Amino acid sequence: MLRITGYSDKYSVCPGDNIKFYINSEESEVYEAQLVRLIHGDTNPEGPGYKEEEISASCNKSYPGRNQKIHGGGYIIVPQDERFNLESFTMQCYIFPTLPGADDKGRQAIMGKWNEQTQCGYGMFVDKKGCLQVRIGDGSGQVMKISSDKKLLRKVWYLAAVSYDARTGKVTLFQEPCVTPTNGGLGQGILNPAEETTAIVETVNSMRPGVDDSPFLMAASTWEERSGRTISGAHYKEADAPIELPVQTRGTYNGKIDRPRLSRRALSKAEIEALARGYKYCHPDVRNDVVGAWDFHANITKNIASTHILDLSTNRLHGFIVNLPCRGMTGYNWTGDEIVYHHKPEEYGAIHFHDTDIDDARWDVDFELTIPEGLKSGVYAARLRIGGVDSPETEDYIPFVIRPPRGTTTSKLCFILPTNSYMAYSNDNLATNCVVAELLAGKVPVMTPSDLYLNEHREYGQSTYSLHSDGSGVCYSSRLRPILNMRPKYRHWLSPSLWQLNGDLHLVDWLEEKGLDFDIHTDEDLDREGVALLNKYRCVLTGSHPEYTSENMFSAYERYQQEGGRWIYLGANGFYWCSQYHPDNSNVIEVRKGEAGTRAWTANPGEYNNAFDGKFGGMWRARGRIPSKLCGLTFTAYGFDVSSYYVRDKDSELPETQWIMEGVGNGERIGDFGLVGGGAAGLELDRYDLEFGTPHDAYLLAHSEAHTNLMLQVNEEIHFSVRGYHGGGTENPMVRADMVYYKTPNGGATFAPGSLSWCGSLSHNNYNNNVSRITENAIRGFLKEGDLP
């Protein structure tokens, strides 16, 4: 078991900035914090070994530990208001349950003002058996509960309503399927909706729902009225003051909700149906009795990603989203005529809630650090240890980047750390959940204590390669939580892979050894500052796996090249997926996996567009911005067993390119060694392809060969599945990494070796090898003033 974990409020800071750290000491043990500069994160004994430098800082001291929990699950909170203290009521909404009656989910709350601990208030639920249920409690022990006794079908839209007349004791519970050609076929399709329609009418002893200070919630119910945790910040700017959150029950609803309404009397079925169609279509007598009419599509054209939920009734009891359930979701009335939510917002009135949603751990701050002046730009971390022991169970690192002093540079060379990709892969559980994990790795996945801890603690959130508990894909990822696979010393389960941060620390270590000064910035910095950031530098380096790219980043790299920048892409599978920052909260990115690409899940029909910017998600090539137009190469193959080597091509002998190959023999194998799979060409590969946009004047310097049959061509380029036709590395000529170099306007240039494992070979033979030589030739050549050869 991991005894200590933590996270920070920022990924990048400048000298003078403040950074906060949030720590969970599982058993409330004392721990020591030490600021360190991370240099080499790989513990492989065949390499240079793990390297860090301890840095003097005010945060270096012991701290009392405390246990801090993460309360996951997406829901909506409407702060307590006396207008929710009702005697009679009608609750109604359209629901699309995705886990009704699941054995491990228990009762799931749809909406209401219900306190689970005191059994006080009223609420509408999916009960343990998967049936619609109403509960009313007076807070003194008397509880009335009635269920429909008709199990809701999974992935079917229903109009669900419950009404209660306190004067007569009459309770009406109503569930009716809403089947259309575009939603009746999802999950358990319905041939005869009438058979699934249920209306329960009972008369009970008249009672009054108890009154307390619990808020009105959707997709959850209250355990305690006050938790001490609040929501506030730029993404909750509509709130007048920080909103205190309740302590939730485990009964978070899984599924979609559309058009929830609350009225202060028992409505007839006709009135319920009229109100369901729209608040403005109701008779004035109905509108006068509406407490809240929340339409989730009401602000789609302005900002569907907003955490603000609008009440269209005259009461204006607006709500707020917690833990970012999915927006831009098709509603009960989606026709399929439009597949873009802002073209027909009234058909996208649903929010998809999951008990695994998480946008922020919301822990209390344990210590802070003001970044000292004079620290060199680099990758740093707060190292946490219990008892001074550096075992995986008693140690954690919280990495972050220190940039150069604001508005300045300290080098002509810049390294953009691909933090978007770190977030996309954060806390992935493919080793334990993916049925093809063993086939991908070519072996039994080797898991670390962090992997096992994450398997037990799903509340730590998942990656965009994960599935929520109801089987839908995870499209949001937040960095405001411990990300346990973004740690030095971590070895990814796709062994022999060093993935993400530790793969990029291979480059950091090599730059240090070669005496190449450099500044480091993150993807978020580039997204915010654009080409102006890049233009400060003569040469810019990418990391080993810049797979997830925002539009701002993509455009900045394009402009940098056009304006004379010299750019070195040191990875593979780069610039592949569209990723977008939340417009009000850059701690969170969104990734929609569309109909193509190497992916772990596929978005549902009509849900391909990002909620965060309204644009088509999925692969950049589907938006006409295939990576080969940016970096000269396109993703071609992947395989995670062993890596291979390159051989030179004729273009490498030309006068224009010989300087890159200086010191490398013509018949020499390039990179038949390395810390990642034993070679410089492995894990994921990119190829030169004129048909896909590689510049016609690009030089093909080298290509890889001798890959195994576990290295397979990407599926977006396979249009028919024919046995034996495509094959693996021994048969398919598309399975290769290509090394390219080409010039760009105004004295610019691009160099790219096309392999994810390239940087893992830099340190071989005490940094004296042909991979190191080629990389150094390219960087030093790009840093020189004047024209390139």
Side-chain angles (χ1 to χ4, degrees):
M1 180 185 76
L2 303 187
R3 289 158 60 183
I4 189 162
T5 57
Y7 65 97
S8 62
D9 67 333
K10 300 179 180 74
Y11 267 0
S12 72
V13 287
C14 295
D17 289 347
N18 184 263
I19 184 170
K20 299 176 181 178
F21 297 93
Y22 310 79
I23 313 302
N24 167 46
S25 176
E26 197 72 22
E27 298 175 4
S28 300
E29 298 170 279
V30 173
Y31 62 90
E32 301 84 39
Q34 169 69 52
L35 180 65
V36 297
R37 185 167 65 91
L38 301 177
I39 301 169
H40 193 261
D42 190 350
T43 58
N44 190 335
E46 296 181 6
Y50 179 75
K51 299 179 185 179
E52 68 178 36
E53 177 189 1
E54 294 188 350
I55 305 295
S56 176
S58 60
C59 67
N60 298 342
K61 62 181 72 173
S62 294
Y63 295 91
R66 54 177 165 179
N67 183 271
Q68 303 206 65
K69 300 295 185 185
I70 297 178
H71 299 270
Y75 64 99
I76 292 171
I77 179 171
V78 185
Q80 158 61 2
D81 187 282
E82 63 179 12
R83 284 166 288 190
F84 290 128
N85 299 331
L86 303 175
E87 296 185 354
S88 301
F89 60 82
T90 298
M91 291 181 289
Q92 64 177 84
C93 59
Y94 291 97
I95 61 172
F96 183 85
T98 51
L99 284 176
D103 292 339
D104 60 337
K105 299 303 175 186
R107 187 173 69 250
Q108 300 176 47
I110 299 172
M111 61 188 295
K113 181 178 162 57
W114 176 256
N115 188 309
E116 185 67 26
Q117 190 174 50
T118 62
Q119 299 286 286
C120 179
Y122 53 91
M124 181 165 61
F125 303 84
V126 178
D127 70 13
K128 294 180 180 180
K129 296 180 180 179
C131 306
L132 192 67
Q133 184 186 72
V134 59
R135 285 180 168 240
I136 302 173
D138 64 5
S140 63
Q142 184 179 3
V143 177
M144 182 278 294
K145 51 187 177 182
I146 297 175
S147 293
S148 67
D149 292 327
K150 185 73 172 180
K151 184 174 181 179
L152 296 159
L153 297 178
R154 184 171 182 263
K155 292 188 175 182
V156 170
W157 277 107
Y158 291 86
L159 175 59
V162 296
S163 65
Y164 173 64
D165 188 328
R167 183 178 56 82
T168 63
K170 181 180 177 182
V171 179
T172 302
L173 189 150
F174 178 74
Q175 66 183 55
E176 180 179 73
C178 304
V179 180
T180 73
T182 57
N183 71 21
L186 284 177
Q188 303 170 29
I190 298 177
L191 296 179
N192 187 355
E195 294 180 359
E196 300 299 328
T197 299
T198 299
I200 302 294
V201 180
E202 291 191 18
T203 300
V204 299
N205 292 330
S206 182
M207 60 182 292
R208 301 289 188 271
V211 174
D212 63 11
D213 289 333
S214 296
F216 190 89
L217 300 183
M218 302 175 208
S221 55
T222 296
W223 177 250
E224 294 176 358
E225 295 168 13
R226 293 181 172 85
S227 66
R229 297 177 298 119
T230 62
I231 52 175
S232 60
H235 48 300
Y236 288 102
K237 56 182 178 289
E238 293 89 353
D240 295 330
I243 299 170
E244 186 168 10
L245 299 180
V247 179
Q248 290 174 255
T249 71
R250 295 182 59 192
T252 305
Y253 170 74
N254 287 277
K256 295 181 182 181
I257 296 176
D258 191 354
R259 292 167 169 79
R261 280 87 168 91
L262 174 69
S263 302
R264 62 187 178 192
R265 65 175 173 87
L267 302 182
S268 68
K269 183 170 183 287
E271 290 172 325
I272 289 171
E273 291 173 338
L275 184 56
R277 287 193 295 272
Y279 174 75
K280 64 182 179 181
Y281 301 116
C282 295
H283 190 278
D285 290 345
V286 176
R287 287 202 299 270
N288 289 338
D289 287 324
V290 171
V291 176
W294 299 275
D295 274 357
F296 300 155
H297 67 276
N299 58 348
I300 275 183
T301 55
K302 294 181 180 178
N303 181 9
I304 194 177
S306 170
T307 56
H308 195 212
I309 297 300
L310 297 180
D311 171 20
L312 301 186
S313 79
T314 56
N315 292 319
R316 298 295 187 260
L317 295 171
H318 305 311
F320 298 89
I321 287 175
V322 180
N323 282 329
L324 280 187
C326 289
R327 306 293 303 272
M329 298 284 110
T330 55
Y332 81 99
N333 57 343
W334 183 63
T335 61
D337 294 341
E338 284 287 352
I339 60 173
V340 179
Y341 62 78
H342 47 81
H343 290 174
K344 210 164 189 178
E346 66 274 12
E347 294 186 5
Y348 283 84
I351 294 179
H352 194 153
F353 300 88
H354 314 86
D355 58 4
T356 44
D357 290 327
I358 177 72
D359 70 339
D360 189 339
R362 295 188 173 86
W363 288 352
D364 292 329
V365 178
D366 286 272
F367 62 92
E368 303 182 32
L369 172 66
T370 298
I371 304 302
E373 301 291 339
L375 289 185
K376 69 182 296 183
S377 181
V379 182
Y380 289 75
R383 188 188 69 199
L384 314 173
R385 284 179 179 168
I386 292 175
V389 180
D390 63 350
S391 72
E393 291 79 14
T394 58
E395 179 182 73
D396 193 21
Y397 288 80
I398 306 174
F400 61 96
V401 164
I402 295 183
R403 306 172 69 193
R406 186 166 280 103
T408 69
T409 65
T410 62
S411 173
K412 296 180 180 179
L413 181 64
C414 167
F415 176 24
I416 302 295
L417 202 68
T419 48
N420 264 25
S421 295
Y422 299 171
M423 290 172 67
Y425 282 92
S426 58
N427 293 349
D428 82 68
N429 55 11
L430 291 174
T432 52
N433 281 49
C434 180
V435 295
V436 297
E438 218 170 299
L439 296 175
L440 281 172
K443 59 182 74 67
V444 175
V446 179
M447 288 181 278
T448 68
S450 294
D451 298 318
L452 298 175
Y453 185 86
L454 289 171
N455 188 49
E456 296 175 0
H457 292 269
R458 296 302 176 95
E459 72 274 12
Y460 271 54
Q462 303 176 97
S463 77
T464 62
Y465 288 77
S466 305
L467 300 177
H468 289 291
S469 58
D470 67 358
S472 59
V474 176
C475 63
Y476 301 153
S477 179
S478 169
R479 59 177 170 79
L480 295 179
R481 56 187 168 122
I483 297 178
L484 303 184
N485 59 357
M486 184 189 160
R487 299 295 192 251
K489 306 181 185 180
Y490 176 80
R491 197 163 190 86
H492 197 271
W493 62 268
L494 274 175
S495 183
S497 165
L498 280 186
W499 206 251
Q500 310 295 43
L501 174 64
N502 289 326
D504 292 327
L505 287 175
H506 282 150
L507 176 59
V508 169
D509 173 56
W510 179 83
L511 290 168
E512 295 268 352
E513 289 291 330
K514 290 296 177 179
L516 288 162
D517 293 331
F518 59 98
D519 290 344
I520 292 190
H521 305 276
T522 66
D523 280 347
E524 184 179 349
D525 300 322
L526 177 58
D527 179 89
R528 181 178 59 251
E529 299 178 24
V531 72
L533 173 62
L534 302 179
N535 279 340
K536 297 175 182 178
Y537 297 94
R538 183 67 172 160
C539 179
V540 172
L541 310 177
T542 75
S544 61
H545 197 196
E547 181 179 0
Y548 289 83
T549 309
S550 71
E551 185 170 14
N552 286 349
M553 292 161 55
F554 209 115
S555 297
Y557 282 133
E558 287 174 331
R559 284 190 58 190
Y560 179 67
Q561 293 180 51
Q562 293 299 311
E563 295 175 9
R566 295 177 178 179
W567 193 54
I568 297 181
Y569 163 46
L570 287 171
N573 187 21
F575 321 104
Y576 187 74
W577 292 110
C578 303
S579 66
Q580 186 61 37
Y581 290 96
H582 191 285
D584 304 320
N585 182 7
S586 61
N587 300 303
V588 184
I589 64 167
E590 177 179 28
V591 179
R592 298 280 174 123
K593 302 294 176 85
E595 293 178 331
T598 303
R599 62 202 187 280
W601 53 273
T602 303
N604 285 326
E607 297 175 354
Y608 299 150
N609 281 57
N610 299 327
F612 290 1
D613 67 355
K615 297 183 180 180
F616 189 76
M619 300 171 65
W620 276 112
R621 71 159 59 187
R623 286 169 60 171
R625 300 177 90 167
I626 191 166
S628 48
K629 297 179 181 179
L630 181 68
C631 59
L633 301 171
T634 187
F635 185 30
T636 189
Y638 60 94
F640 304 100
D641 54 345
V642 294
S643 301
S644 192
Y645 59 87
Y646 294 77
V647 293
R648 289 178 62 171
D649 282 294
K650 290 183 178 180
D651 282 358
S652 69
E653 302 172 17
L654 297 172
E656 297 89 342
T657 63
Q658 284 179 349
W659 63 276
I660 298 175
M661 291 293 173
E662 184 178 345
V664 180
N666 263 339
E668 199 174 322
R669 287 183 175 180
I670 300 169
D672 56 348
F673 47 81
L675 296 176
V676 182
L683 299 184
E684 294 179 337
L685 311 176
D686 289 1
R687 76 170 187 271
Y688 165 109
D689 196 317
L690 297 175
E691 292 298 313
F692 282 127
T694 298
H696 284 70
D697 57 355
Y699 298 104
L700 178 60
L701 304 180
H703 68 272
S704 68
E705 61 181 25
H707 294 284
T708 73
N709 283 333
L710 279 179
M711 181 66 75
L712 300 171
Q713 187 178 1
V714 292
N715 60 14
E716 59 264 25
E717 296 179 354
I718 297 173
H719 302 134
F720 292 95
S721 296
V722 180
R723 185 169 57 183
Y725 176 68
H726 294 284
T730 64
E731 302 171 325
N732 189 338
M734 295 294 193
V735 177
R736 67 182 194 274
D738 289 333
M739 185 187 304
V740 299
Y741 160 70
Y742 56 93
K743 295 182 180 180
T744 53
N746 300 305
T750 295
F751 170 75
S755 166
L756 202 155
S757 66
W758 178 265
C759 291
S761 299
L762 291 169
S763 65
H764 178 72
N765 190 33
N766 198 27
Y767 308 90
N768 182 19
N769 60 77
N770 49 27
V771 170
S772 174
R773 197 165 299 120
I774 290 169
T775 308
E776 186 173 4
N777 289 343
I779 292 175
R780 292 196 185 277
F782 278 20
L783 287 173
K784 289 179 180 178
E785 298 296 332
D787 294 336
L788 293 163

